[in-house]
Amino acid sequence: MGRGNSFQWIIRLVFVCVIGYFASPANAAVKKYQFDIQVKNVSRLCHAKPIVTVNGMFPGPTIYAREGDRVLINVTNHAQYNMSIHWHGLKQYRNGWADGPAYVTQCPIQTGNTYTYDFNVTGQRGTLWWHAHIFWLRATVYGAIVIMPKQGTPYPFPQPEFEFNLVLGEWWNEDVEEVEKQGNKLGLPPKMSDAHTINGKPGPLFPCSEKHTYAIEVEQGKTYLLRIINAALNDELFFAIAGHNLTVVEIDAVYTKPFSTEAILIAPGQTTNVLVRANQAPGRYFMAARPFMDAPISVDNKTATAILQYKGIQNSIMPSLATLPSLNDSSFALTYNSKLKSLNSPNFPANVPLKVDRRLFYTIGLGVNPCPTCQNGTRFTASLNNITFVMPKTGLLQAHYYNLKGVFTTDFPDRPPKPFNYTGAPLTANLRTTQSNQPRLSKIAFNSTVELVLQDTNLLSVESHPFHLHGYNFFVVGTGVGNFDPKKDPAKFNLVDPPERNTVGVPTGGWTAIRFRADNPGVWFMHCHLELHTGWGLKTAFVVENGPTPDHSILPPPKDLPRC
């Protein structure tokens, strides 16, 4: 047996053992993990540098659990940076203390300190992920979360022979924190990444990458499940496999009506599960990821590659190249997203709110504020309803739970202060945004139904924005290009089987409408998942009030909750 085959055999054995471990009822209740935040020297693209890791791994370890499990993750910070970790897409019912965004639901874990994230996996199964949620540390601190269905519950699609995680990311040759600091100091966008990566590896199209290429081995005629995660900081990505179609079966840990496609589009924060059948001539085929950007904005347009290799094929054979949509193919993007629909079956219904208690309309804008120390005397900012979010010095959830005064206000406006032609000619006359001393949040009544329309604007430039809501899934009931029309557009909403997810792309120069039921009390962050824009203030939070009983109220904070 060759080295590649023996390695593949070992991986299969480990996979079988892991699944067997989860299948044992005696072990199904509590999963425990130790996360040591450590700095480790890593080399990519002929450059070596220290990066922040979990347990010395890049990407970090995969969290395996089963629906219904309790998960305990003990995080010890050995690095020089403050740290917090977000379990992206986990609903954390009544338990914002385990959600992770720094200064929103917790103060960060300081150097030398430990915090245990303790949460239950309730009513969710599929692919999610975890990442650092402070500064730009998620550039290297991230990993997959795989939630298996309850014991004896099959997938609602053909059972794959085997599965692989593909975590898409970005790589900078310089220290990422210094790159961010330099951009902030100048008031300009920081330097773009030097490469994209698949499972931390850029692939053979980059220099010094012979060892840094991820490969999977498949057997003719078998079907494989790929769990694809976009962990990139700032780029929406196309992904395709040369010669092979992908069947989409899940997004953001929610099953979808299956459909076949030559490529997928996946925004930062999103996950997509696809089935791939090894039905081509045995050979080697590139898997490739490259950005989507249909606005006049510079991006790192380099292509990351990994290899899908049929069993018995020599490594010396050149892989076939993958065909990806062009960088600015907005037609593909809109068509692809329109195919995403909830399964809406008896076992997996789509409980779309049909009646709306609260209608919100948020405009997304870029702006420029004065900054005497910056290069041009100004600093780029971003805003919702012209408000640039100011981060607090203490956790918002603690302030809400203990009723601390002077930390935040609840007067975030339900709509922009002044209506205008949002996606018309570029607006450059008045680009200043409003910044207050305290964060302004929006208070939401418990169990009320919310419709939120996110409207892109042409302030400086139109651009696609992936928005993530913590603590919830939501239904994407409508999307369109241009300005949202409250009289005509709601008539076209899909209220039967819209996609359900936790992160949605607002199209360039367009709008997206989402609905959710506010049944999870706490303080829940909502932000653009482009780290650049989050840092510029493109974020807010909802204060969802407690319900009528203790069972519908925020849980008390854990004793080891980090202090500021």
Side-chain angles (χ1 to χ4, degrees):
M1 188 183 284
R3 281 182 63 190
N5 286 348
S6 63
F7 176 73
Q8 201 59 234
W9 182 84
I10 291 167
I11 289 293
R12 284 175 184 236
L13 184 65
V14 168
F15 180 80
V16 170
C17 290
V18 165
I19 297 305
Y21 169 71
F22 290 125
S24 168
N27 293 326
V30 180
K31 302 294 188 303
K32 294 184 179 181
Y33 287 86
Q34 174 62 39
F35 273 26
D36 287 311
I37 310 299
Q38 302 166 331
V39 174
K40 182 186 177 183
N41 277 327
V42 169
S43 176
R44 296 287 187 275
L45 276 59
C46 319
H47 290 260
K49 67 168 187 177
I51 65 169
V52 183
T53 69
V54 171
N55 301 347
M57 299 166 66
F58 170 61
T62 299
I63 298 291
Y64 288 97
R66 193 177 281 287
E67 183 182 348
D69 282 350
R70 180 183 177 193
V71 181
L72 298 169
I73 304 171
N74 192 65
V75 178
T76 302
N77 187 6
H78 303 282
Q80 70 270 36
Y81 302 101
N82 287 346
M83 177 57 64
S84 74
I85 294 183
H86 170 50
W87 317 96
H88 185 113
L90 279 159
K91 293 181 187 174
Q92 308 288 12
Y93 184 66
R94 302 170 53 217
N95 186 28
W97 314 110
D99 191 41
Y103 301 107
V104 178
T105 58
Q106 67 168 94
C107 298
I109 306 164
Q110 297 180 22
T111 304
N113 289 6
T114 294
Y115 177 50
T116 299
Y117 291 92
D118 181 351
F119 54 86
N120 295 316
V121 181
T122 306
Q124 293 183 272
R125 82 294 307 159
T127 307
L128 296 171
W129 66 299
W130 57 265
H131 60 84
H133 211 303
I134 181 168
F135 308 124
W136 280 32
L137 290 172
R138 77 174 175 90
T140 57
V141 180
Y142 60 79
I145 301 174
V146 174
I147 305 168
M148 302 304 294
K150 283 182 179 174
Q151 194 65 44
T153 305
Y155 295 133
F157 48 80
Q159 181 72 24
E161 307 278 343
F162 199 72
E163 55 184 64
F164 299 94
N165 300 335
L166 298 178
V167 190
L168 314 178
E170 290 183 89
W171 172 266
W172 279 259
N173 288 330
E174 289 88 15
D175 181 321
V176 177
E177 289 303 294
E178 288 305 315
V179 168
E180 185 200 13
K181 281 180 193 164
Q182 186 67 14
N184 288 339
K185 187 177 171 185
L186 296 173
L188 299 170
K191 179 181 177 297
M192 287 181 296
S193 57
D194 296 289
H196 293 99
T197 58
I198 299 176
N199 287 347
K201 299 176 177 183
L205 304 185
F206 289 89
C208 302
S209 292
E210 296 81 11
K211 292 187 298 184
H212 301 306
T213 300
Y214 179 74
I216 63 177
E217 187 180 81
V218 298
E219 290 185 41
Q220 181 75 35
K222 293 191 173 177
T223 300
Y224 297 83
L225 181 69
L226 303 183
R227 299 175 180 270
I228 305 166
I229 297 163
N230 187 350
L233 265 72
N234 294 310
D235 289 338
E236 292 188 75
L237 296 167
F238 292 120
F239 174 88
I241 304 176
H244 294 73
N245 277 352
L246 312 173
T247 301
V248 176
V249 293
E250 179 196 302
I251 53 172
D252 293 4
V254 179
Y255 297 132
T256 61
K257 289 185 170 68
F259 68 93
S260 180
T261 180
E262 292 179 359
I264 67 166
L265 174 63
I266 184 166
Q270 292 182 337
T271 69
T272 304
N273 283 9
V274 300
L275 293 175
V276 178
R277 190 157 179 79
N279 58 4
Q280 298 301 302
R284 301 175 84 221
Y285 297 85
F286 271 132
M287 303 186 281
R290 186 178 67 198
F292 163 59
M293 173 51 75
D294 61 347
I297 291 168
S298 299
V299 291
D300 169 8
N301 64 0
K302 303 180 188 76
T303 303
T305 53
I307 296 170
L308 182 144
Q309 182 163 337
Y310 281 69
K311 189 175 182 180
I313 297 297
Q314 298 300 313
N315 288 350
S316 55
I317 291 175
M318 182 68 188
S320 302
L321 289 170
T323 303
L324 288 161
S326 59
L327 178 75
N328 61 352
D329 195 341
S330 52
S331 173
F332 178 93
L334 291 167
T335 302
Y336 172 80
N337 282 325
S338 72
K339 293 176 184 173
L340 297 171
K341 290 183 167 44
S342 288
L343 197 55
N344 193 24
S345 67
N347 289 335
F348 303 103
N351 296 316
V352 187
L354 301 179
K355 176 178 146 293
V356 175
D357 299 319
R358 181 90 173 269
R359 295 184 193 276
L360 307 174
F361 183 81
Y362 289 0
T363 53
I364 304 162
L366 301 178
V368 178
N369 282 351
C371 172
T373 60
C374 295
Q375 181 171 292
N376 300 323
T378 57
R379 174 191 301 284
F380 279 114
T381 59
S383 66
L384 288 169
N385 285 352
N386 205 47
I387 294 169
T388 296
F389 192 85
V390 179
M391 289 303 285
K393 301 275 192 299
T394 189
L396 295 173
L397 182 59
Q398 289 96 310
H400 170 57
Y401 185 83
Y402 291 111
N403 201 24
L404 303 178
K405 304 300 181 192
V407 178
F408 66 86
T409 60
T410 55
D411 60 347
F412 190 90
D414 286 3
R415 52 197 52 81
K418 191 173 167 189
F420 58 95
N421 182 3
Y422 306 114
T423 56
L427 294 156
T428 54
N430 180 11
L431 293 172
R432 289 186 67 161
T433 63
T434 303
Q435 288 179 293
S436 54
N437 294 328
Q438 298 171 11
R440 297 170 69 180
L441 313 185
S442 183
K443 187 179 275 192
I444 307 287
F446 178 78
N447 212 36
S448 61
T449 52
V450 179
E451 180 181 287
L452 167 60
V453 176
L454 290 159
Q455 172 74 60
D456 189 30
T457 68
N458 205 355
L459 289 159
L460 276 184
S461 172
V462 289
E463 187 176 348
S464 178
H465 297 272
F467 265 83
H468 173 47
L469 175 59
H470 290 228
Y472 289 91
N473 281 354
F474 48 74
F475 291 97
V476 185
V477 294
T479 189
V481 175
N483 295 342
F484 175 72
D485 185 332
K487 292 195 175 74
K488 294 180 182 173
D489 287 324
K492 296 178 260 180
F493 283 178
N494 177 1
L495 302 178
V496 177
D497 60 355
E500 180 185 348
R501 55 190 330 164
N502 62 61
T503 305
V504 65
V506 179
T508 301
W511 56 271
T512 291
I514 66 172
R515 287 187 183 182
F516 63 96
R517 180 175 292 280
D519 57 2
N520 190 5
V523 178
W524 302 107
F525 209 23
M526 190 188 77
H527 60 95
C528 179
H529 221 277
L530 303 178
E531 207 60 37
L532 177 65
H533 293 168
T534 301
W536 286 354
L538 194 50
K539 50 198 172 187
T540 186
F542 294 113
V543 179
V544 178
E545 296 177 300
N546 282 337
T549 69
D551 286 347
H552 299 102
S553 301
I554 302 169
L555 291 167
K559 292 186 169 57
D560 63 341
L561 189 70
R563 298 171 183 269
C564 284

